[in-house]
Amino acid sequence: LEWNRSVTPYSGNATLKATASDVAGNSNSYTVNIAINMAAPTAPANLVATPKQGAVELSWNASSYASPDNLYYVVYRGNSADGEMEVLGYTAPVYKYSGSEYVYETDTEFVDVMRDASGSTYYYKVKADTNGAGTGRSSGFSNTVSGAANADTTKPAITGLTIPGDGITNAENTFYVDAADNAGVYQIKAWVSPKGQNDWKEAGTET
């Protein structure tokens, strides 16, 4: 059975009853005591936007919620503080080791990587939700902040280029490029040429 939370929009102790019936009309019921917590997460607080090379880094204070394994932060972005904002992305709960036990934690940081060099200013706000689309049980919004990325002058770094099988290829296969960038790698292209001829042909692209 799927729980219909619209019939229990409250928090507190409750009794859950199940009834089974057969085709002859016989039925039987069974009850258990349960606790219901339909309280929404509290709103994220103290949202801050920090300009980085080619990106804006967002950080905020964590929300409180009874089910940390179901806590997402949904980030919204728009062109004005009081205009419409659209979902930019989200952070999701991760099961990780903390101190002496495993717990669910959700990052309170998000990086908006810019794919243009216009230096445009954007406006951001964040809310807590029970799903990444922002359509579940939601908190209120955080404060709204603005931010613009600094010019990105750092070149990506390539640390590896590998073809499995001792560097020999005789068919279509997968090869690997290890690349990193301060604001995130947008695209990787590879070319190949007969040795010493500088006749480069595109061998693969990944965006």
Side-chain angles (χ1 to χ4, degrees):
L1 302 177
E2 292 290 333
W3 191 277
N4 182 359
R5 63 184 176 90
S6 65
V7 303
T8 55
Y10 53 83
S11 298
N13 296 324
T15 301
L16 178 64
K17 179 171 70 173
T19 301
S21 303
D22 62 20
V23 295
N26 303 305
S27 64
N28 194 21
S29 296
Y30 186 84
T31 61
V32 294
N33 294 322
I34 63 170
I36 293 176
N37 188 345
M38 290 295 172
T42 61
N46 299 322
L47 176 62
V48 175
T50 303
K52 300 290 185 179
Q53 282 195 36
V56 174
E57 182 181 271
L58 303 172
S59 61
W60 57 89
N61 292 352
S63 299
S64 296
Y65 187 51
S67 302
D69 59 329
N70 200 31
L71 176 64
Y72 296 74
Y73 294 110
V74 187
V75 180
Y76 289 73
R77 187 182 76 176
N79 294 314
S80 65
D82 54 359
E84 183 177 351
M85 296 190 187
E86 296 183 350
V87 174
L88 175 63
Y90 63 88
T91 63
V94 176
Y95 196 53
K96 61 177 65 174
Y97 190 76
S98 178
S100 60
E101 61 182 351
Y102 282 93
V103 296
Y104 280 96
E105 293 183 356
T106 307
D107 281 345
T108 55
E109 294 183 350
F110 184 92
V111 178
D112 181 17
V113 177
M114 306 297 176
R115 287 180 169 80
D116 63 73
S118 64
S120 299
T121 296
Y122 292 102
Y123 295 81
Y124 303 90
K125 59 185 178 181
V126 179
K127 72 176 181 179
D129 202 287
T130 54
N131 67 51
T135 57
R137 194 176 313 126
S138 298
S139 73
F141 281 103
S142 68
N143 54 303
T144 299
V145 297
S146 62
N150 295 331
D152 186 356
T153 58
T154 302
K155 294 181 179 180
I158 297 177
T159 58
L161 181 56
T162 307
I163 292 180
D166 298 322
I168 299 172
T169 182
N170 58 7
E172 290 187 3
N173 62 9
T174 299
F175 61 100
Y176 302 92
V177 180
D178 297 320
D181 183 71
N182 61 295
V185 175
Y186 169 66
Q187 185 181 73
I188 295 175
K189 285 187 176 182
W191 289 267
V192 63
S193 168
K195 188 172 183 179
Q197 297 185 22
N198 287 325
D199 182 21
W200 296 100
K201 305 295 183 184
E202 187 173 319
T205 300
E206 182 75 23
T207 299

